[in-house]
């Protein structure tokens, strides 16, 4: 068998295995609790339905998630809208700055470090993308953390107002002045939407799609169920506040229990770079064999791929699921 046949067979086998792994990962992701929660929320709040979009065509951008229907905005529209929600007007600037800084770092690495020729294009294309993804994820996680810190206290405020006889539609706008960001801006937005005459279901529907937090979705479901079936809204929201607090405690305990694994991951990630730097300072000729020869470059590429996959696996193992 010739080398061309071996390469063709190898590429086919790798593509086949990659496709099977991708299908398995998609199936595993759909079975995760957070994915099931999102599917149920989308079923109860069909914000992406065509009839909802047609009904909201004339509504201001402030109360909608996406108004355009082309292929570009269908994928980037929710991301940009989500970014505006979690970080305001500076969110897009932060992501762009992180991408530019990552590109500058990639250019410096490719010009100053003796990297293989195969790694340079991947580094120039992958590092900016990684910087944009990480900055976006950081902003979303920061928004979730700040939102959930004050959300139980806000629910208690709504419970006291409802028990005093104040309508819940009026409480949303008043409660926004009694809490910190980002709860203040989000509930003020909902209160303003109710004041201009929008229906409560439509406002909650848009807020669920805009905020994207499971605890807030539970709150909206409670309001809609009480509106349709009646009952003691104060008692229901009080129980919900207790559940949200327990979920917050679970997340804090999870962070404490996985602290050792997260620190171990960071240490393991820094060990190869520390060894390379030490060897470069002490015995440069011994290290340059990895960069100057073809076999050494292949070893470096294999080591980089294995290190990346290992760090991803360790991170997934150390991150407990708190979506339930």
């Amino acid at each position: 068998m010739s080398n061309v046949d071996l390469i063709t067979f190898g590429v086919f086998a790798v593509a086949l295995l990659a496709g099977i792994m991708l299908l398995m990962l998609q199936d595993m992701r759909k079975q995760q609790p957070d994915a099931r929660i999102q599917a149920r929320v989308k079923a109860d709040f069909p914000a992406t339905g065509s009839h909802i979009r047609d009904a909201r065509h004339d509504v201001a951008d402030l109360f909608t998630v996406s108004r355009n229907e082309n292929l570009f905005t269908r994928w980037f529209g929710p991301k940009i809208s989500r970014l505006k929600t979690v970080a305001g007007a500076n969110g897009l600037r932060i992501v762009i700055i992180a991408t530019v800084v990552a590109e500058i770092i990639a250019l410096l690495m490719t010009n100053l470090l003796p990297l293989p020729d195969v790694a340079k294009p991947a580094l120039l294309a992958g590092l900016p993308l990684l910087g944009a993804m990480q900055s976006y994820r950081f902003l979303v996680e920061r928004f979730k953390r700040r939102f959930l810190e004050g959300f139980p206290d806000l629910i208690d405020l709504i419970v006291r107002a409802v028990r005093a006889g104040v309508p819940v539609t009026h409480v949303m706008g008043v409660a926004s002045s009694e809490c910190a960001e980002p709860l203040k801006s989000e509930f003020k937005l909902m209160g303003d939407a109710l004041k201009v005459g929008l229906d409560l279901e439509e406002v909650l529907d848009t807020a669920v799609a805009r905020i994207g937090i499971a605890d807030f979705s539970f709150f909206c479901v409670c309001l809609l169920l009480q509106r349709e079936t009646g009952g003691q809204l104060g008692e229901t929201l009080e129980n919900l506040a207790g559940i949200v607090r327990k979920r917050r405690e679970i997340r804090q305990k999870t962070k404490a229990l996985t602290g050792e694994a997260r620190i171990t991951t960071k240490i393991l990630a820094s060990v190869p770079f520390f060894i390379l730097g030490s060897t470069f300072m002490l015995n440069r000729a011994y290290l340059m064999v990895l960069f100057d020869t073809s076999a050494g470059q292949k070893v470096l590429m294999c080591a980089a791929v294995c290190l990346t996959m290992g760090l991803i696996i360790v991170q997934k193992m150390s991150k407990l699921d708190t979506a339930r």
Side-chain angles (χ1 to χ4, degrees):
M1 184 178 292
S2 63
N3 294 331
V4 177
D5 295 334
L6 287 175
I7 294 174
T8 305
F9 178 76
V11 171
F12 174 75
V14 170
L16 182 62
L17 291 176
I20 295 175
M21 292 178 62
L22 181 61
L23 292 176
M24 292 177 62
L25 289 175
Q26 289 179 351
D27 185 68
M28 292 173 60
R29 183 176 179 82
K30 291 180 181 179
Q31 297 301 325
Q32 289 181 356
D34 56 346
R36 294 200 301 267
I37 290 174
Q38 291 180 3
R40 294 180 62 182
V41 168
K42 288 181 179 179
D44 294 333
F45 299 93
T48 57
S50 59
H51 60 284
I52 298 295
R53 288 194 294 265
D54 294 338
R56 297 177 182 173
H57 181 73
D58 296 330
V59 183
D61 286 337
L62 196 60
F63 305 111
T64 56
V65 177
S66 178
R67 294 174 59 190
N68 300 322
E69 289 299 329
N70 55 64
L71 184 61
F72 179 81
T73 56
R74 189 173 299 175
W75 194 86
F76 282 98
K79 300 291 188 302
I80 296 176
S81 178
R82 176 75 166 158
L83 193 60
K84 291 180 180 179
T85 301
V86 301
N90 295 324
L92 187 60
R93 299 176 185 174
I94 294 174
V95 174
I96 293 176
I97 291 173
T99 306
V100 172
V101 172
E103 181 66 24
I104 293 174
I105 294 175
L107 289 173
L108 293 176
M109 292 177 65
T110 53
N111 292 327
L112 299 179
L113 297 179
L115 298 176
D117 295 334
V118 182
K120 292 181 179 180
L123 188 63
L124 290 174
L127 195 59
L129 181 61
L130 180 63
M133 293 174 59
Q134 291 298 326
S135 59
Y136 178 83
R137 185 177 303 175
F138 168 76
L139 294 175
V140 171
E141 293 298 328
R142 186 185 65 175
F143 173 81
K144 289 182 178 181
R145 184 177 64 254
R146 292 179 177 178
F147 189 93
L148 293 174
E149 283 179 358
F151 189 50
D153 298 331
L154 179 61
I155 295 178
D156 291 337
L157 178 62
I158 295 176
V159 169
R160 292 192 294 268
V162 169
R163 287 179 175 176
V166 182
V168 67
T169 55
H170 180 69
V171 175
M172 288 186 180
V174 177
S176 62
S177 60
E178 302 294 333
C179 54
E181 294 289 348
L183 290 166
K184 181 177 181 179
S185 59
E186 292 299 328
F187 274 82
K188 185 177 185 301
L189 188 63
M190 295 169 60
D192 294 341
L194 292 172
K195 289 180 181 178
V196 299
L198 294 180
D199 185 67
L200 178 62
E201 182 177 359
E202 184 178 359
V203 173
L204 296 179
D205 182 8
T206 306
V208 167
R210 186 177 65 247
I211 296 175
I213 298 178
D215 303 70
F216 180 76
S217 301
F218 300 156
F219 171 76
C220 296
V221 170
C222 290
L223 293 182
L224 292 179
L225 287 178
Q226 192 275 337
R227 184 186 182 186
E228 294 178 0
T229 62
Q232 297 293 330
L233 180 59
E235 183 178 356
T236 303
L237 292 180
E238 187 176 6
N239 295 332
L240 177 62
I243 293 174
V244 173
R245 285 192 173 91
K246 289 181 180 179
R247 286 169 58 86
R248 184 176 60 184
E249 293 176 1
I250 292 174
R251 283 189 291 268
Q252 293 174 352
K253 290 180 181 179
T254 300
K255 187 176 181 180
L257 292 174
T258 59
E260 182 179 357
R262 288 185 284 108
I263 294 176
T264 303
T265 304
K266 295 178 181 179
I267 294 174
L268 291 176
S270 61
V271 166
F273 300 99
F274 176 76
I275 294 177
L276 287 176
S278 302
T279 308
F280 183 79
M281 297 296 295
L282 298 176
N283 193 350
R284 184 176 302 180
Y286 179 78
L287 180 64
M288 294 307 294
V289 177
L290 295 175
F291 296 95
D292 295 336
T293 62
S294 176
Q297 294 176 359
K298 293 179 181 179
V299 170
L300 280 179
M301 292 297 296
C302 181
V305 172
C306 293
L307 178 63
T308 303
M309 294 179 61
L311 292 177
I312 293 175
I313 293 173
V314 172
Q315 184 180 7
K316 292 295 183 181
M317 293 175 62
S318 62
K319 185 177 180 181
L320 298 180
D321 187 10
T322 58
R324 299 182 181 179

